[in-house]
Amino acid sequence: MLWGGTVTQQTAHKNTMVICVLGRYLLKSSLCSRSWWRKSSLYSAGHGFQPEEIRDKLRAFPGGAVDLLTQGETGLAVLTVNNPSRMNAFSGAMMVELEERVSQLESWTQGKGLIVRGAAGTFCSGSDLNAVRAISNPQDGMKMCMFMQDALTRLQRLPLVSVALVEGRALGGGSELSTACDFRLMTPDSVIQFVHKHMGLVPGWGGAARLVRLVGDRHALRLLGGALKVDPELGLRIGLADGVLGEGAPQDGDEGALRQAEEWLSRYTKGPAEVIRAAKRVVSSGRELPLTEALRAEKEVFGTVWGGEANLRALAGKTKHK
């Protein structure tokens, strides 16, 4: 069929524009549905992973809480491990709450940054021994291991730039939690220590695998085999710490370090949420996937921002070299 006349040409142009917009929408929907970072779990029923069964068992050991505060105006969230009477050790119920908080953050599309901290000036001392003793048989231990590996891997994959604010001590599972963040900030008197050896264990929440990628295999073996105390100086030297916060003003109390961490993180979360989230996703794919797959994932993420609002605004404002 031949097109003729101005009206017909305008109609054709409009149809083309609609098709382009629809194509972009379908492309984005397709990418989101198959993107590797949206996998619901590391494990399946074939691995013996039954999440609801594990949740029910863990909920039998109450105590503490995992609190989440999201700030819509800044796009920053604060996740607080809150069990001060036990140095913020994870009870079974807190493990379930952590996974629930991660699910909330996965659905928070306006988010750009995340700070993980402990209450009352201590980061986290790992697992509550009451829960550990009660599930000390190998079968339950493996289930807890899979559950926490899954939760912390999903935490690491969040499209948010994350930082662990390490105050006081991060011990055992607490040290593993710190490695699930993109960055670690330490206060001057803080310590990160993989104390698993003293408990006759090795990390089971994914901390060893992440530690090797952060500091290399030799440093990782020293930290695990020697249960070394990593102070801020050593942390900076081996690459486990990304910065040391200054002393807060006395009147600031526990919130002084949090404010400093928010200021530190803000330099990496300025800008449109879709761009910050895309940057985190391409870094996550490069961190976890083989090169060929990482390149494909990068191409997919690129397709979600190319021609988007932020991109078009930047082109119109010629902001490339600002």
Side-chain angles (χ1 to χ4, degrees):
M1 180 176 180
L2 296 177
W3 296 97
T6 304
V7 174
T8 306
Q9 290 174 350
Q10 290 175 346
T11 302
H13 178 69
K14 289 181 180 179
N15 288 340
T16 302
M17 292 295 292
V18 170
I19 292 172
C20 289
V21 171
L22 179 61
R24 172 172 290 280
Y25 172 80
L26 293 174
L27 172 63
K28 289 185 177 181
S29 299
S30 173
L31 293 177
C32 289
S33 66
R34 70 174 187 265
S35 294
W36 67 274
W37 57 79
R38 291 183 180 269
K39 293 179 182 177
S40 59
S41 177
L42 286 174
Y43 298 105
S44 66
H47 301 103
F49 187 55
Q50 302 289 345
E52 203 51 52
E53 174 192 338
I54 300 171
R55 291 186 191 102
D56 289 342
K57 188 176 290 289
L58 292 173
R59 287 191 186 103
F61 308 100
V66 178
D67 303 321
L68 178 63
L69 174 65
T70 58
Q71 305 170 12
E73 64 279 6
T74 63
L76 298 183
V78 179
L79 183 78
T80 303
V81 183
N82 193 349
N83 194 9
S85 65
R86 296 188 177 275
M87 291 180 60
N88 297 328
F90 274 93
S91 66
M94 289 172 67
M95 295 180 191
V96 177
E97 281 197 26
L98 174 68
E99 191 250 358
E100 291 171 347
R101 300 295 178 258
V102 170
S103 294
Q104 288 178 249
L105 289 168
E106 287 172 334
S107 301
W108 188 39
T109 57
Q110 294 79 33
K112 297 189 286 183
L114 172 66
I115 296 173
V116 178
R117 67 181 307 213
T122 295
F123 187 72
C124 175
S125 61
S127 302
D128 186 337
L129 292 182
N130 290 333
V132 170
R133 292 189 187 99
I135 58 173
S136 59
N137 65 80
Q139 294 79 14
D140 285 342
M142 288 292 286
K143 291 175 183 177
M144 184 268 288
C145 171
M146 287 191 287
F147 186 84
M148 289 301 287
Q149 277 192 7
D150 182 64
L152 292 184
T153 299
R154 288 167 55 197
L155 172 65
Q156 186 177 41
R157 288 177 177 174
L158 287 170
L160 309 172
V161 182
S162 59
V163 58
L165 170 54
V166 182
E167 301 174 87
R169 289 190 280 182
L171 306 177
S175 62
E176 295 191 67
L177 173 61
S178 76
T179 66
C181 296
D182 300 312
F183 302 104
R184 279 143 300 281
L185 296 177
M186 300 180 71
T187 56
D189 59 348
S190 63
V191 169
I192 300 174
Q193 187 178 11
F194 292 80
V195 297
H196 304 75
K197 182 181 79 166
H198 297 327
M199 299 298 296
L201 294 170
V202 295
W205 296 358
R210 292 188 294 269
L211 184 63
V212 170
R213 285 162 174 74
L214 287 170
V215 303
D217 57 333
R218 292 184 299 166
H219 285 313
L221 191 55
R222 291 186 182 113
L223 297 188
L224 296 180
L228 300 181
K229 292 182 179 180
V230 180
D231 60 16
E233 181 182 356
L234 178 58
L236 289 173
R237 190 162 70 244
I238 65 176
L240 186 57
D242 297 280
V244 181
L245 299 180
E247 296 284 359
Q251 66 270 22
D252 286 348
D254 293 337
E255 300 309 305
L258 177 59
R259 278 198 287 271
Q260 292 180 60
E262 289 176 336
E263 183 179 354
W264 187 92
L265 181 58
S266 68
R267 73 188 73 176
Y268 305 114
T269 57
K270 290 179 181 176
E274 64 270 23
V275 178
I276 304 302
R277 293 166 69 86
K280 172 62 186 286
R281 281 172 171 152
V282 294
V283 169
S284 293
S285 63
R287 176 168 54 199
E288 293 192 40
L289 299 178
L291 178 59
T292 300
E293 293 179 37
L295 290 172
R296 290 171 182 159
E298 184 174 317
K299 178 259 298 180
E300 292 177 356
V301 178
F302 177 82
T304 67
V305 291
W306 175 265
E309 291 183 13
N311 178 224
L312 295 177
R313 282 199 306 269
L315 290 173
K318 299 178 181 179
T319 59
K320 180 177 180 180
H321 299 295
K322 289 185 179 179

